[in-house]
Amino acid sequence: MPVPDAPVPGALPTSEPSGGPSRPSRLDPAVAAGLRRTPDGLVVAVVRQYDTGEVLMVAWMDDEALHRTLTTGRATYWSRSRGEYWVKGETSGNHQYVHSVALDCDGDALLLEVDQVGPACHTGRRTCFHTELPVTGVAGDERKARS
């Protein structure tokens, strides 16, 4: 089995329709054709716990990160700040074992259903979405009236 962060021997550059940077990738061209990337070649990945539906985190993937995720079953992302790939849990021990990956109807977002071991958030919390904001607008009031 290939090492997730090993160089990609003989890989061809990804085709970036938006002109973003190109990193080598082994992603199936049929899958790659369905992706609508940001100008820097990325697609947002929403990550949720497979059995509860709990939203855990959001990260970014390029074609190679998606390839590694699909072929290893370990969630692999592109770090925009570090400019490198990272496998969730590789240093923290808080692994994500992938159950499924779905592409949204526009091709610009991925949904990963994972089995999260330990906290998903770098702060040590189970989920990155722990700060609830108040909804005070009309839609919130209408929802309450219907209950």
Side-chain angles (χ1 to χ4, degrees):
M1 173 183 273
V3 176
D5 286 330
V8 183
L12 300 173
T14 58
S15 76
E16 300 295 344
S18 57
S22 186
R23 291 177 286 274
S25 176
R26 299 165 287 177
L27 184 64
D28 179 331
V31 174
L35 299 176
R36 209 171 89 207
R37 303 162 190 83
T38 64
D40 51 353
L42 302 173
V43 176
V44 68
V46 177
V47 184
R48 73 179 180 186
Q49 177 65 32
Y50 83 99
D51 55 352
T52 66
E54 176 185 28
V55 177
L56 301 170
M57 58 179 272
V58 172
W60 294 93
M61 292 182 152
D62 68 356
D63 288 25
E64 181 61 17
L66 179 55
H67 167 77
R68 292 178 189 192
T69 297
L70 294 171
T71 59
T72 67
R74 297 284 307 281
T76 304
Y77 304 106
W78 177 257
S79 171
R80 295 178 301 170
S81 60
R82 294 187 311 263
E84 64 185 18
Y85 296 103
W86 57 283
V87 178
K88 183 67 173 172
E90 193 170 65
T91 56
S92 69
N94 301 323
H95 301 283
Q96 290 178 347
Y97 298 101
V98 180
H99 281 247
S100 67
V101 179
L103 182 61
D104 83 334
C105 59
D106 295 322
D108 61 358
L110 296 161
L111 176 63
L112 278 71
E113 295 206 333
V114 304
D115 189 11
Q116 176 69 47
V117 175
C121 186
H122 70 279
T123 65
R125 294 181 186 241
R126 170 78 181 158
T127 173
C128 293
F129 295 94
H130 51 80
T131 305
E132 192 164 330
L133 304 177
V135 177
T136 59
V138 175
D141 292 339
E142 289 174 7
R143 184 182 72 233
K144 288 178 190 173
R146 285 189 216 138
S147 306

